[in-house]
């Protein structure tokens, strides 16, 4: 057994407790106070020892949760030369390259900040792109929750299910998901306007969707735009029930309402971001990845 202390950051306390339980290790929580000017003050509720695992997801408020994660990492380094930082949802991973002239690759800066804060290893779950990982100049590990998510669907009774990725970029994920279930998969053609962020499905009428239950699989649901357009398209093709499944459900604003209105029966996600759709537990995967 490795001597670990798990520090649960304010954004991931429940998940961190589960990881600590699985590792049979000490758990330390954090007290968070937000000053009227928006500054965060974090106090560790105990003294860590051994190797340290910091667990803090970087979902909204993204910049605050990022800085809190860096602050805890930096403090952890005072107690240990080995600080593993688990970032179940890595914010900024979509800003991994320059898409339009003048854009800043903020992921590169985030990676530098973790190294500077003293992280010795970074562990993420289903990061948006592998390019994002290349910006880290310390060891990084990406864990896939796809099998765990698919396992959830295995228990359900679905009619001739078809796994669908809303875009071509997610075809590998859809393939893995479908292979686990032993069913077919396809990827739609999605276009996103890089300036407005608006999404459109470019696929034309699809053979073989009619009457089949659909599992729409994506890495994340943010505004819900991608899932809404994909679900509307599939419903027009006279599909059966449509389920939306992702690792990270940010569900910003009216996303959930809009997705249900588009005909989605249920949203199922992992607990990298806490919420009512986050029913698939990734703590066993994380505990296994670090032992
Ligand atoms: C895009 O490439 C991602 O895989 C997701 O499809 C996207 O980020 C989801 O965002 P939204 O819910 O705002 O469409």
């Amino acid at each position: 057994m490795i001597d670990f202390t798990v520090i649960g950051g304010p954004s991931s306390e429940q998940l961190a407790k589960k990881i600590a339980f699985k590792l049979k290790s000490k758990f330390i929580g954090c007290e968070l106070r937000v000053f009227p000017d928006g500054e965060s003050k974090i106090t560790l509720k105990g003294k860590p020892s051994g190797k340290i695992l910091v667990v803090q997801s970087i979902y909204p408020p993204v910049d605050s949760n990022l800085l809190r994660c860096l602050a805890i990492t930096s403090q952890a380094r005072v107690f240990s030369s080995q600080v593993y930082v688990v970032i179940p949802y890595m914010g900024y991973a979509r800003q991994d390259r320059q898409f339009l002239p003048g854009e800043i690759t903020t992921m590169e800066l985030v990676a530098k900040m973790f190294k500077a804060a003293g992280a010795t290893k970074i562990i993420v779950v289903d990061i948006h792109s592998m390019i994002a990982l290349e910006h880290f100049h310390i060891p990084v590990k990406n864990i896939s929750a796809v099998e765990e998510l698919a396992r959830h669907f295995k228990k359900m009774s679905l009619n001739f299910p078809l796994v669908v990725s809303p875009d071509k970029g997610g075809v590998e994920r859809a393939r893995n998901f479908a292979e686990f279930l032993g069913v077919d998969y396809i990827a739609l053609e999605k276009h996103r306007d890089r300036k407005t962020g608006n999404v459109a499905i470019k696929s034309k009428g699809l053979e073989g969707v009619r009457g089949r239950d659909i599992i729409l699989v994506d890495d994340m649901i943010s505004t819900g735009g991608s899932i809404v357009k994909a679900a509307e398209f599939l419903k027009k093709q006279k599909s059966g029930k449509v389920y939306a499944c992702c690792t990270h459900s940010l569900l910003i604003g009216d996303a959930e309402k809009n997705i249900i209105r588009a005909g989605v029966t249920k949203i199922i996600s992992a607990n990298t971001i806490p919420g009512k759709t986050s029913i698939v537990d990734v703590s066993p995967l994380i505990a296994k990845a670090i032992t």
Side-chain angles (χ1 to χ4, degrees):
M1 197 179 86
I2 307 169
D3 175 23
F4 263 117
T5 297
V6 177
I7 303 179
S11 68
S12 296
E13 193 176 87
Q14 291 315 312
L15 180 61
K17 274 185 184 160
K18 287 187 171 147
I19 296 169
F21 181 76
K22 292 198 169 66
L23 292 173
K24 297 187 176 59
S25 64
K26 183 170 161 185
F27 172 81
I28 292 179
C30 295
E31 189 188 305
L32 170 68
R33 208 174 136 201
V34 180
F35 289 116
D37 64 358
E39 282 182 13
S40 299
K41 182 182 171 76
I42 299 172
T43 309
L44 298 190
K45 288 185 187 163
K47 194 172 169 193
S49 57
K51 282 190 189 180
I52 298 178
L53 202 69
V54 174
V55 187
Q56 163 88 348
S57 224
I58 303 180
Y59 58 81
V62 171
D63 291 344
S64 297
N65 278 331
L66 167 62
L67 200 76
R68 289 166 195 168
C69 192
L70 289 163
I72 300 166
T73 301
S74 167
Q75 184 65 6
R77 196 55 200 265
V78 173
F79 297 95
S80 177
S81 59
Q82 292 206 64
V83 177
Y84 292 5
V85 185
V86 178
I87 306 170
Y89 169 66
M90 172 63 91
Y92 283 107
R94 286 182 291 180
Q95 297 188 47
D96 58 352
R97 69 200 94 164
Q98 198 181 59
F99 293 100
L100 296 175
E103 284 180 354
I104 297 169
T105 307
T106 307
M107 190 64 232
E108 191 180 349
L109 170 68
V110 170
K112 281 184 195 157
M113 290 196 293
F114 275 103
K115 187 174 180 191
T120 53
K121 187 170 183 173
I122 301 286
I123 295 150
V124 292
V125 182
D126 287 329
I127 193 158
H128 177 68
S129 86
M130 290 303 147
I131 295 172
L133 288 185
E134 287 167 15
H135 295 298
F136 287 90
H137 298 294
I138 50 175
V140 260
K141 191 175 179 69
N142 180 51
I143 301 168
S144 173
V146 167
E147 245 187 63
E148 275 319 298
L149 291 164
R151 203 182 301 281
H152 182 88
F153 282 88
K154 210 162 202 164
K155 294 179 253 157
M156 292 167 62
S157 142
L158 300 173
N159 183 34
F160 198 25
L162 176 69
V163 174
V164 179
S165 166
D167 55 45
K168 299 283 180 202
V171 69
E172 196 60 17
R173 184 180 308 112
R175 187 172 65 83
N176 293 338
F177 198 106
E179 272 178 6
F180 185 80
L181 292 180
V183 304
D184 302 330
Y185 69 96
I186 55 166
L188 302 180
E189 207 169 309
K190 178 179 99 177
H191 172 75
R192 187 187 289 276
D193 185 310
R194 291 256 165 234
K195 284 203 171 117
T196 62
N198 290 341
V199 168
I201 298 294
K202 296 283 179 200
S203 300
K204 298 282 175 258
L206 287 179
E207 293 294 317
V209 167
R210 183 181 278 263
R212 296 181 75 167
D213 285 347
I214 306 289
I215 310 170
L216 266 173
V217 180
D218 212 339
D219 60 331
M220 60 193 287
I221 302 176
S222 180
T223 64
S226 305
I227 294 292
V228 164
K229 294 290 178 190
E232 285 173 352
F233 173 79
L234 291 160
K235 284 287 179 186
K236 268 195 200 134
Q237 311 298 309
K238 305 263 183 281
S239 74
K241 286 183 177 164
V242 176
Y243 294 88
C245 178
C246 69
T247 305
H248 316 291
S249 56
L250 289 158
L251 294 173
I252 306 297
D254 286 335
E256 190 179 355
K257 212 163 75 189
N258 296 338
I259 288 170
I260 300 299
R261 199 182 288 145
V264 170
T265 301
K266 200 171 178 191
I267 306 169
I268 288 156
S269 60
N271 60 348
T272 54
I273 298 173
K276 74 171 198 268
T277 67
S278 306
I279 54 178
V280 174
D281 182 19
V282 291
S283 67
L285 295 176
I286 295 172
K288 195 168 158 217
I290 55 166
T291 47

